[in-house]
Amino acid sequence: MTDTRRAILDALADGPADGPTLADRLDVSRAAIWKHVEALREAGFAIQSGDDGYRITAVPEYGGPAVAYGLDAPYEVEYHDSIGSTNDRARQLPAEGAPETVVVADEQTGGRGRLDREWSAPSGGVWLSVFARPSLPPARVPLLTMAAAVATAEAAREAGVDARIKWPNDVLVERDGDVRKLAGILTEMEGEADRVSWVVVGVGVNANVDPADLPDGSTSLRAERAHAGRDPADIDRRTFAQRVIERFHECRGDPDAVLPAWRDRSDTLGRRVRVDTPGGEVVGEAVDVEPPGTLVVETAEGVRRVSAGDCEHLRPAE
Ligand code: BT5
């Protein structure tokens, strides 16, 4: 989307505005404004022109302009109906000199999890990658993964699904004693010793997806709402994606608030866990997280601090 089109959307999100005012404000011709308004209509926006100017009366269900419309965070939005992986696409943006951007797709054909695992991403999910150039030392980047988990869990809760976080980056829902995976996060970065060049934080949320089309042990927002006897209709992916992006952005601006928010939504703290780490297995009670996202585990041999690994929640007897 062009800068001007995004600026028109931002202006109209605040209320109606007429062509001359928009042209003046954005320093383009009235003909250019008209052309962009037509393009937005083609993208599915209903835009009335009345006495007070252009007024948006309906927004498309999903897509780039839909996610950009009213988005309260300073990212470009790039949308694909289908793409290999939004993380792969976002990783190309630094070389293109792009501004901070969220890459969004309806479907991914080559979605990736951590450690080269596959991520199923059929049409109907919220698959997005935030490309950012934060002024952070690389050692603090795990905070962004935690921030994305917080943003996702909170957005799910606002959508009526009580999601909790399993360290470090799984967003889960517990139902009838079973725990199912709703979302996952994949953070990738490039940087020097003291400075990050860029990060890509990929967030995958099973929104309006049938769990039968996902690996065993998965669930979706739509399925959870239906089970809870709530509205079985599709969830509004536009609002959901916006909330994830906005909350993530808020966390970026207030890094000290990330771990307290993470603790609040955590399902790991207070549980017995087994963490598979590059340095071996750590078993004990997860008692805290410390900056930038280190899990503190009380084991029979004393306290261990774990910064990376796969975590499994154990039943108390195990
Ligand atoms: C993750 O990896 O959980 C990170 C997933 C990140 C996906 C997003 S989508 C947007 C962006 N673009 C990408 O290409 N990736 C990111 P991990 O913790 O390694 O979990 C992977 C495991 O979760 C797989 O081995 C499966 O067992 C399971 N899995 C795969 N697809 C799933 C799904 N849709 N829902 C729940 N579980 C799934």
Side-chain angles (χ1 to χ4, degrees), residues 29-305:
S29 68
R30 288 171 64 173
I33 297 288
W34 183 83
K35 206 179 76 198
H36 286 300
V37 166
E38 281 310 302
L40 287 169
R41 285 182 170 137
E42 268 162 42
F45 285 86
I47 305 179
Q48 284 178 358
S49 20
D51 289 347
D52 48 1
Y54 295 117
R55 175 193 294 272
I56 292 185
T57 54
V59 181
E61 185 255 328
Y62 205 46
V67 174
Y69 176 68
L71 177 65
D72 191 12
Y75 300 94
E76 298 284 309
V77 179
E78 179 183 301
Y79 178 80
H80 302 265
D81 283 328
S82 180
I83 195 170
S85 151
T86 54
N87 262 44
D88 289 349
R89 169 59 192 139
R91 289 172 61 120
Q92 297 171 341
L93 292 170
E96 295 173 13
E100 295 197 335
T101 300
V102 184
V103 179
V104 183
D106 176 43
E107 170 196 66
Q108 294 181 118
T109 52
R112 293 188 288 113
R114 295 177 302 150
L115 307 170
D116 279 335
R117 290 189 280 237
E118 276 182 31
W119 182 258
S120 305
S123 168
V126 169
W127 323 121
L128 62 83
S129 299
V130 183
F131 156 63
R133 305 174 191 274
S135 42
L136 270 184
R140 303 247 300 160
V141 165
L143 266 182
L144 297 181
T145 304
M146 309 299 262
V150 165
T152 304
E154 290 182 356
R157 202 173 153 90
E158 282 171 30
V161 174
D162 187 18
R164 307 203 69 86
I165 309 168
K166 184 177 75 148
W167 184 89
N169 66 349
D170 279 354
V171 179
L172 310 172
V173 180
E174 189 177 339
R175 174 165 36 93
D176 308 330
D178 286 326
V179 173
R180 298 178 174 85
K181 182 158 166 171
L182 176 73
I185 290 147
L186 174 67
T187 301
E188 300 178 289
M189 58 160 268
E190 195 169 276
E192 282 128 48
D194 56 343
R195 215 182 56 87
V196 168
S197 313
W198 54 260
V199 296
V200 167
V201 182
V203 179
V205 188
N206 305 322
N208 299 321
V209 181
D210 184 344
D213 297 333
L214 298 172
D216 281 354
S218 308
T219 191
S220 69
L221 290 171
R222 189 177 63 190
E224 288 303 316
R225 292 216 307 196
H227 275 285
R230 299 172 67 111
D231 187 356
D234 281 358
I235 73 131
D236 175 358
R237 285 189 294 168
R238 178 178 86 87
T239 312
F240 184 85
Q242 288 181 332
R243 269 318 280 151
V244 172
I245 299 163
E246 289 165 355
R247 186 69 179 105
F248 173 77
H249 189 69
E250 261 172 50
C251 287
R252 261 183 84 182
D254 189 6
D256 290 345
V258 172
L259 291 189
W262 191 94
R263 287 187 192 102
D264 250 17
R265 301 301 316 151
S266 159
D267 189 35
T268 298
L269 299 183
R271 281 193 192 267
R272 274 185 65 73
V273 296
R274 179 190 300 128
V275 193
D276 218 351
T277 79
E281 213 172 63
V282 175
V283 179
E285 185 187 341
V287 290
D288 199 10
V289 274
E290 290 178 351
T294 305
L295 188 67
V296 184
V297 184
E298 261 175 24
T299 73
E301 296 84 42
V303 171
R304 294 278 305 271
R305 289 183 163 72

